[in-house]
Amino acid sequence: MTEGGIARWEKQEGEAFAAGDLLLQIETDKAQMDVEAQDDGVLVKILAPEGAQNVRVNSVIAIVAEEGDDIASIDIGALSKQPEAEAEKVEKKAEAVQKKAETVEKKVEKVAKTEKAEKAPSSGLSSPAAEFTIHANHIANAAEIEGTGPKGRVLKGDVLQFLKAGKAVISKPEISKPAASKPVAKAPSSGNAELPFLVQSLEPSVLRHLAQVELAKRSVVVQVPATRLVQLVKANRGMTVDALAARAIALALQQVKVEGNGVGVVTDGSKVAEVAGAASASVLDLAQAIKQARSGPASGRPAAVLAGENVFTPDTLPDAAVVVVGAPYASVSAAEASAAMDSALNDLLGVSTSSAQPSKQASTVIDVRVISNSPTVASALAAKIKGFLSNPELLTF
């Protein structure tokens, strides 16, 4: 994506916003996306109005400031022009990277053609699917495969049968065994030589689904009432849901025995860094400590890691327990949802109901997911964290 359009501004000039509020909607020729505020602030000036098209990536579309800033002293003209030079630099770097990528791609194609020439059956008669299967399984003696296709052409089924018969000589070097501290699932010992090819042939979406299923087996999810928590965060500038969650995790770790020390977060480099003072610092200081830890290097060996959704896969899970705190959302019971639907149908049909009851306001909840190789640890941590987050006032010391 190099450019897009402004579909709609949800905030107006001079209007204040909080972290997590929807600021605007952007659109491309393929999708429409919401842009949320990362921190509290004030929308000072909109430079790209609603309906603007062909807005380049990295161009300035608005100017924001923190509450309390002297907006009258802000030089809007200078701020709106300042990033243009940076945008040009980024564009030039992107072009240079693209050229390097094209060069590397040509080299890869050349190497692939060389390997193909070396490993292809001597007859030269093989289907594309058969060639892919040969290379995917690193068969060194592909010339010995007997083809059953027209004019002796080697088909994919011939290659698979060659593998099953145990005649293939595999040239791929053996993969070193993983560390004992991170057990991995062993392949079935049924002698099915077709398995490596089948695994490599899976679609990325299927692999992602299998990863999610594996994580779900190690997860415990609890639903936490969050109305008071959200109100507390909105009423206190600088306080964040992540800070309260980190405090709740730290207090839960004092009651649940887990190997490691303290609470960690995921850094910008996808590493784990420990947050200092998660159990003792003020919540406002803790929010700043989390921000600094995320932008810093890996450190410590925390017992639990506060992470976002889809950050880890079963293969990249740290030794610590992983806690994922979802975004707040409105929740209604099945009975309330059914009553609301009945009321809407009656309105459409013009039917009056004398026994209509006033609808209850939907409650706000968040989902907390604890991932651990120990089901006992996951269940205990989830229960303790839910108890603390359900009473957020106890966390603000």
Side-chain angles (χ1 to χ4, degrees):
M1 174 179 171
T2 58
E3 61 182 18
I6 308 298
R8 176 183 176 83
W9 281 96
E10 300 294 342
K11 300 292 182 181
Q12 304 300 319
E13 292 183 358
E15 188 174 354
F17 56 83
D21 286 353
L22 182 61
L23 291 181
L24 73 154
Q25 295 178 343
I26 60 176
E27 59 183 3
T28 66
D29 56 346
K30 296 182 179 180
Q32 183 165 323
M33 295 164 282
D34 295 338
V35 178
E36 296 181 352
Q38 301 300 312
D39 296 295
D40 299 347
V42 178
L43 183 59
V44 177
K45 181 68 176 178
I46 296 176
L47 302 177
E50 290 185 6
Q53 299 295 325
N54 303 322
V55 180
R56 286 171 43 183
V57 173
N58 294 322
S59 61
V60 182
I61 61 173
I63 296 175
V64 298
E66 294 186 358
E67 292 186 12
D69 288 348
D70 185 4
I71 298 177
S73 64
I74 297 177
D75 189 350
I76 295 177
L79 290 176
S80 61
K81 294 179 180 179
Q82 183 178 0
E84 291 183 358
E86 296 294 331
E88 292 178 0
K89 290 181 181 179
V90 171
E91 189 171 349
K92 289 181 180 179
K93 288 183 179 180
E95 292 177 356
V97 171
Q98 180 65 24
K99 290 181 179 179
K100 289 183 179 180
E102 292 175 355
T103 303
V104 172
E105 186 176 355
K106 290 179 180 178
K107 291 182 179 179
V108 171
E109 290 179 355
K110 186 177 180 180
V111 172
K113 289 180 180 179
T114 303
E115 291 182 352
K116 181 177 179 181
E118 293 176 352
K119 295 185 178 181
S122 58
S123 64
L125 296 175
S126 58
S127 68
E131 291 184 5
F132 177 81
T133 310
I134 290 170
H135 300 319
N137 291 275
H138 305 273
I139 301 176
N141 58 335
E144 299 177 10
I145 302 175
E146 297 181 2
T148 59
K151 297 181 179 180
R153 189 176 189 181
V154 177
L155 305 178
K156 175 182 175 182
D158 300 329
V159 181
L160 295 178
Q161 186 62 36
F162 192 71
L163 286 167
K164 290 181 179 179
K167 300 178 180 180
V169 177
I170 307 301
S171 62
K172 185 177 180 180
E174 293 185 0
I175 300 175
S176 58
K177 295 183 179 180
S181 59
K182 290 189 176 181
V184 296
K186 294 184 178 179
S189 57
S190 60
N192 188 358
E194 187 181 348
L195 184 61
F197 168 70
L198 296 177
V199 172
Q200 294 181 36
S201 302
L202 291 176
E203 292 290 337
S205 58
V206 177
L207 293 175
R208 287 194 297 270
H209 175 70
L210 293 176
Q212 292 173 358
V213 171
E214 181 61 28
L215 287 178
K217 294 178 181 178
R218 311 182 193 182
S219 302
V220 173
V221 180
V222 292
Q223 195 175 68
V224 181
T227 302
R228 289 155 55 193
L229 185 145
V230 172
Q231 292 173 348
L232 185 63
V233 170
K234 288 186 176 181
N236 293 271
R237 183 182 177 185
M239 186 179 295
T240 64
V241 173
D242 281 351
L244 293 173
R247 170 60 50 75
I249 296 170
L251 296 179
L253 288 173
Q254 295 177 355
Q255 302 178 25
V256 180
K257 186 177 181 180
V258 182
E259 187 176 352
N261 299 296
V263 181
V265 293
V266 180
T267 68
D268 294 338
S270 299
K271 303 295 183 182
V272 174
E274 185 176 354
V275 179
S280 57
S282 70
V283 177
L284 297 181
D285 290 341
L286 183 54
Q288 292 299 319
I290 290 174
K291 186 180 294 186
Q292 293 175 0
R294 282 175 173 163
S295 59
S299 62
R301 187 172 177 271
V305 178
L306 180 62
E309 194 69 49
N310 300 323
V311 171
F312 294 110
T313 66
D315 294 330
T316 61
L317 277 175
D319 293 333
V322 175
V323 181
V324 179
V325 179
Y329 64 93
S331 174
V332 295
S333 66
E336 292 171 344
S338 177
M341 182 173 291
D342 290 342
S343 177
L345 289 174
N346 289 333
D347 290 341
L348 289 174
L349 298 174
V351 179
S352 61
T353 55
S354 58
S355 60
Q357 298 292 330
S359 60
K360 297 181 180 179
Q361 185 177 3
S363 59
T364 302
V365 297
I366 57 175
D367 291 334
V368 176
R369 182 182 186 189
V370 180
I371 308 171
S372 174
N373 290 324
S374 170
T376 304
V377 170
S379 299
L381 273 181
K384 295 296 182 181
I385 293 171
K386 177 179 179 179
F388 286 119
L389 290 180
S390 299
N391 299 277
E393 297 82 2
L394 303 177
L395 305 175
T396 58
F397 53 83

